[in-house]
Amino acid sequence: MADDVTASPPQPAVLVTTGVLTGGVGVEEVRLSIVSSGTTNLASSPRAWLLALPNGAYTVARTTTGGVEKQGPIVHLEQFHVNRLVDSHLKLHKSTVDWKKEGGGGCDEGVIGEPKALSLPQLRAFIGRVWKDSIQAFSQNFKGKNECLMVTTLVLDGDEDDGETKAGTHSDNQCSFRVWAHVRRMMPAKQSVTVQFFGNPRRLPKAKLSSWVRERKTTEQHKLDGVDEMILVERDRIYEGLTSNFFVVNHEGVIETAPTGILEGAMREFVLESCSKLGIRVVQRFPKLSEIGSWKEAFITNTVKKISSVDTAWVQAESSEGGFQWKKKEFSTCQKGSQKGKGDEHNNLTTIERIRRHLLEHLV
């Protein structure tokens, strides 16, 4: 998974915008407006905000200061996040898959809805426009200057009731889409985290849908104090975190990560690329929870945290009195020794630290 919509600082500066794209026969109408800014019920945490709106395709991105013209903050990995939104929207509205199974096959890059409806290029371009205008509006409202922002985006059909208005209705000649953006400042990521192994894998992992924020509440009710992320497990096979992808470094120094049944985040792909360049072997197979005692390291990745090492893990174990109890497993996440020279760097750093440094050097 490539996002985290759980953490919220007190009274954050938040901007919520909504844009409507309407198309028909030779018609394209665009409306974009600021719904709220500041600390309000609607502009609270991304999590609460998503729970207040209908189910739809969503993604969480960070901004970076870039571009040839240095135009200020822009969405990092924009194409990745646009593709995720469009693909998830198609899977939500076109897939006939049994919810108990993982969907198979992609969707055609054609048109959405009935004939004469909006094309995917129009929707892709509109999402980019909403991001650009929302980020600019945030900077103007809160006097930010090249800040790193967290942008949570939700795509709905235009006739979805958002609790306040209806953006339009589908007809033979017209369809519309509503794109929501929730913008806030990015909070500093934790370098190390505590995880808890509990919960079943998501039902439709290839689509990033806001319904997952609601569905996972059942799992989150079992979260122990001090836990940063819950890791989903089924029959000893470890899948992913509620908001992250999960990796282990086994006793041979080989990285293991789930091959299927997960939402593959952007940071996961960067980690796999980094390992290839660093000569670190990766095997895409399910890590086994029963082998936790032999792991050298473990870590999670997502858009917000980037890469965070696991220093403590909570695992269910049978109690001598019957039932289950939680047992703690701790990992060493510090450097293996003092660095004596650049040539010895790989021998003095953990696998996680090698990957983290490579990402810092090459990730914009």
Side-chain angles (χ1 to χ4, degrees), residues 246-307:
F246 181 77
F247 301 77
V248 304
V249 182
N250 67 21
H251 66 285
E252 297 178 338
V254 176
I255 290 181
E256 298 178 359
T257 188
T260 60
I262 61 172
L263 182 69
E264 299 175 7
M267 288 306 303
R268 179 181 185 273
E269 296 306 309
F270 276 118
V271 166
L272 296 180
E273 292 176 10
S274 294
C275 289
S276 177
K277 294 176 180 178
L278 293 170
I280 300 173
R281 186 185 172 200
V282 179
V283 177
Q284 293 198 44
R285 65 185 175 208
F286 291 101
K288 294 183 178 180
L289 185 57
S290 58
E291 297 177 355
I292 188 172
S294 64
W295 299 346
K296 290 183 176 181
E297 305 169 61
F299 61 97
I300 61 174
T301 63
N302 68 18
T303 298
V304 177
K305 295 182 175 69
K306 289 189 177 179
I307 178 169

Side-chain angles (χ1 to χ4, degrees), residues 76-292:
H76 187 225
L77 302 175
E78 178 172 327
Q79 197 57 50
F80 172 88
H81 289 288
V82 169
N83 289 340
R84 167 178 280 177
L85 285 168
V86 172
D87 189 56
S88 294
H89 180 85
L90 289 170
K91 283 183 169 63
L92 173 62
H93 291 282
K94 286 189 173 182
S95 178
T96 57
V97 66
D98 183 340
W99 279 99
K100 295 181 180 179
K101 301 177 181 178
E102 181 179 328
C107 296
D108 295 334
E109 289 281 311
V111 296
I112 305 175
E114 298 297 325
K116 304 176 183 178
L118 290 163
S119 66
L120 290 182
Q122 286 175 289
L123 179 57
R124 292 179 189 277
F126 183 59
I127 292 170
R129 175 179 171 179
V130 171
W131 283 338
K132 180 180 178 181
D133 291 354
S134 299
I135 292 169
Q136 289 179 349
F138 184 94
S139 299
Q140 293 170 0
N141 274 264
F142 300 106
K143 311 301 180 185
K145 188 175 181 180
N146 296 334
E147 297 176 290
C148 183
L149 305 176
M150 175 178 173
V151 183
T152 305
T153 310
L154 178 69
V155 174
L156 301 172
D157 276 342
D159 54 359
E160 293 274 13
D161 188 353
D162 59 20
E164 295 182 358
T165 64
K166 281 183 177 289
T169 58
H170 289 282
S171 68
D172 289 341
N173 297 321
Q174 185 183 70
C175 75
S176 60
F177 295 95
R178 180 180 286 274
V179 178
W180 289 83
H182 181 287
V183 186
R184 58 176 286 179
R185 294 186 177 97
M186 181 71 74
M187 299 300 294
K190 299 180 69 173
Q191 295 292 296
S192 59
V193 295
T194 296
V195 303
Q196 178 182 351
F197 291 97
F198 184 85
N200 296 319
R202 64 174 77 198
R203 297 180 295 178
L204 193 62
K206 296 300 182 183
K208 189 171 181 65
L209 306 176
S210 59
S211 57
W212 172 240
V213 180
R214 185 173 292 103
E215 291 170 9
R216 73 187 194 212
K217 289 172 66 176
T218 302
T219 299
E220 292 170 331
Q221 291 174 356
H222 298 273
K223 181 186 287 188
L224 301 175
D225 291 341
V227 168
D228 301 295
E229 177 69 310
M230 301 188 78
I231 310 298
L232 306 175
V233 185
E234 185 177 64
R235 295 192 298 273
D236 200 37
R237 300 194 304 181
I238 301 174
Y239 284 75
E240 60 185 339
L242 292 177
T243 62
S244 64
N245 290 124
F246 181 77
F247 301 77
V248 304
V249 182
N250 67 21
H251 66 285
E252 297 178 338
V254 176
I255 290 181
E256 298 178 359
T257 188
T260 60
I262 61 172
L263 182 69
E264 299 175 7
M267 288 306 303
R268 179 181 185 273
E269 296 306 309
F270 276 118
V271 166
L272 296 180
E273 292 176 10
S274 294
C275 289
S276 177
K277 294 176 180 178
L278 293 170
I280 300 173
R281 186 185 172 200
V282 179
V283 177
Q284 293 198 44
R285 65 185 175 208
F286 291 101
K288 294 183 178 180
L289 185 57
S290 58
E291 297 177 355
I292 188 172

